[in-house]
Every structure is written in structure tokens, then in C-alpha cells.
Amino acid sequence: MDIDILQVSKSYKNAEAWSLYDISCHFGMGVVGIIGGIGAGKSTLLRILAMQIQPDTGTIRADGGDLDKNADWLRQRMGYLPQEFGFYPQSTGSEILEYFAVLKGIKGWHARKKAVDTALEKVALVDAGREKTAAYSQGMKQRLGIAQALLGNSELLLLDEPVKALDPRERKRLYSLLQDVENMTVVYVTQMLENMADFCRKIAILHEGRLVFFDAPSVLRKLSPDGSLESGYLCLERGVEEKSCER
């Protein structure tokens, strides 16, 4: 799916600054990682893409059609993991995923069961799928959240801090899943640069609501004296801060 973000800005009531200001970029097939500190605007951008909130100005298009005019069409093709979420504790993992499968328009009991079983397998919750989520650890709940985002044949996948609460083994499992993404656009929001060069086609860096970098991981590495993504990011952030001071 092609996503075009055109001069999008967003502010919140009583806020002293823009949460997003004049953002323009294009997301195509593959994984785009969005990085930035607290308050950079990452989750705001993802919530706009998920149609939870509206931008104050600007336009977003999905496969050439305006987002606000094609909301139902996009929701059928989108998987979304918000940063904060919860599940009904007396339902099993499988029951919760079946409910989301219905919401996503997956028709027929057999088709929904297959979609649920496949999603549970991807996050290693096949056995736990029969348990009530009241018994789940925080990491298991996070994996179930990822599973509901992966349900069906999504063309757009929005992940907000997906590795939060995951142990190193489960992080590697998710990174491996993202490496194998085909025919899908994934927007991956995080504060962690860990392994991003392995699965991200491009990296977007937000700073105080502005897009200050949007290019391949290899380009970010070139900004670094030691060739690492982390150092490249820090060098870029320092440069942005110095320019801000000059203004």
C-alpha cells in the first residue's frame, strides 16, 4: 500500500507547540521505522494514520484516495497496535482474536479460525490461546496485541512501541517477522534503534514535531563517526538542537 503524507500538522488544545508540523513523506512497501524522543510526535502521527484523530491541516492518501473518504475501506486492510491497550480479562486469547477477526471482516468460522491460529503461531501463543487473558503476563499481553494487528492479510500495519515488555527472545521473533514482510507497508514506531537496519527500508526521525530525517539506514550511518545507527542518530539530534539554538 502507498501512503502519502502531505503537509500534515497537528496541535492539541492548550499545548505550547505543534505536536506535528508540516510533515510530508511517502511510505511504500516494506518497513519504515519512526524514531524520536518523548514528545517528538511519533504516536500522534500513527494515530492519524489509524484514523483515531484528524490532522489540523494537510492530507493523507492511501493508494491515491483521501483517508477521510475511504476510512471503511482502509480499516478492512489495516492492522494497528496502539501503545496502550487492554483486553477483557475473562476472555481467552483465541476468543479475543476471533472478535477482532469479525471486526476486520474475515467471513466464515473456518476462515476466522485459520486467521486466529496463524496469528497465535506467529507470536508463540498457540497453547496460551486457550487461557483467559487474566492469567497473561505483560509480555504475553503485548504479544497478543501484536497478534491482533497481524490478523488476516493486512496491507498496512501500524505498530506503536511493539517491543515494549517483550523479552530478548520475543524481540528477535518480531524482528524476524518484520524481515519477512512482503506486499505490506509497515510503520514501526519506537525509541529503540536496536536491529532496525536489519528490517527497515527507511528510517524517519521526528524532533519536536518536525521530520528532520527520512532516508535509508545506510544514510543515517554515514552521519556517524563509527558507522552505527545510534551514533548517527545522536549526531543528527545534536545538529538539530544547535540549529534550534541559532534560531
Side-chain angles (χ1 to χ4, degrees):
M1 182 177 290
D2 287 318
I3 302 294
D4 291 295
I5 300 171
L6 307 171
Q7 296 181 302
V8 166
S9 296
K10 176 68 181 177
S11 63
Y12 293 103
K13 188 177 180 180
N14 300 324
E16 296 181 359
W18 291 92
S19 181
L20 291 174
Y21 186 76
D22 199 28
I23 301 292
S24 293
C25 54
H26 170 82
F27 299 158
M29 295 290 189
V31 185
V32 175
I34 300 183
I35 309 293
I38 296 172
K42 306 183 300 299
S43 292
T44 295
L45 180 57
L46 215 64
R47 291 180 68 201
I48 290 173
L49 290 173
M51 297 170 290
Q52 288 191 332
I53 57 175
Q54 294 288 325
D56 295 338
T57 61
T59 303
I60 296 180
R61 296 194 178 109
D63 280 350
D66 286 358
L67 211 62
D68 56 352
K69 296 178 181 178
N70 296 278
D72 291 339
W73 172 86
L74 184 59
R75 287 191 180 100
Q76 297 293 317
R77 292 160 173 79
M78 179 179 69
Y80 176 44
L81 175 72
Q83 191 170 147
E84 301 295 336
F85 60 89
F87 298 119
Y88 184 62
Q90 296 307 309
S91 293
T92 67
S94 294
E95 289 170 342
I96 286 169
L97 291 189
E98 185 170 351
Y99 170 74
F100 278 102
V102 171
L103 293 181
K104 291 193 74 171
I106 300 175
K107 299 185 184 299
W109 183 83
H110 289 290
R112 288 196 295 271
K113 185 178 187 306
K114 182 178 179 181
V116 167
D117 290 346
T118 299
L120 288 171
E121 185 177 356
K122 286 179 178 179
V123 297
L125 284 177
V126 173
D127 292 335
R130 295 185 285 271
E131 299 176 9
K132 293 181 179 180
T133 60
Y136 280 24
S137 67
Q138 194 59 42
M140 291 169 71
K141 290 177 182 177
Q142 186 73 7
R143 285 151 59 193
L144 187 63
I146 294 169
Q148 68 78 24
L150 293 170
L151 271 174
N153 298 312
S154 296
E155 297 176 42
L156 175 63
L157 188 60
L158 308 174
L159 302 174
D160 197 348
E161 299 287 358
V163 299
K164 181 181 66 175
L166 297 186
D167 62 33
R169 182 179 61 180
E170 293 307 325
R171 286 182 187 177
K172 289 181 180 179
R173 183 188 298 274
L174 178 60
Y175 298 151
S176 179
L177 279 174
L178 294 175
Q179 282 178 318
D180 295 333
V181 160
E182 293 181 358
N183 303 319
M184 186 188 297
T185 299
V186 181
V187 185
Y188 175 95
V189 168
T190 183
Q191 293 187 57
M192 301 174 63
L193 282 160
E194 178 186 54
N195 293 93
M196 290 193 71
D198 295 337
F199 57 84
C200 285
R201 182 177 57 85
K202 284 191 176 181
I203 291 176
I205 297 177
L206 293 175
H207 180 81
E208 296 181 354
R210 296 174 185 266
L211 183 66
V212 297
F213 179 89
F214 185 62
D215 215 321
S218 59
V219 177
L220 182 59
R221 279 178 164 155
K222 289 178 181 177
L223 301 177
S224 163
D226 64 5
S228 69
L229 288 180
E230 291 80 1
S231 294
Y233 172 74
L234 290 173
C235 288
L236 180 69
E237 286 281 271
R238 280 197 297 270
V240 170
E241 290 287 354
E242 288 169 4
K243 289 179 182 177
S244 297
C245 291
E246 289 173 5
R247 289 200 303 269

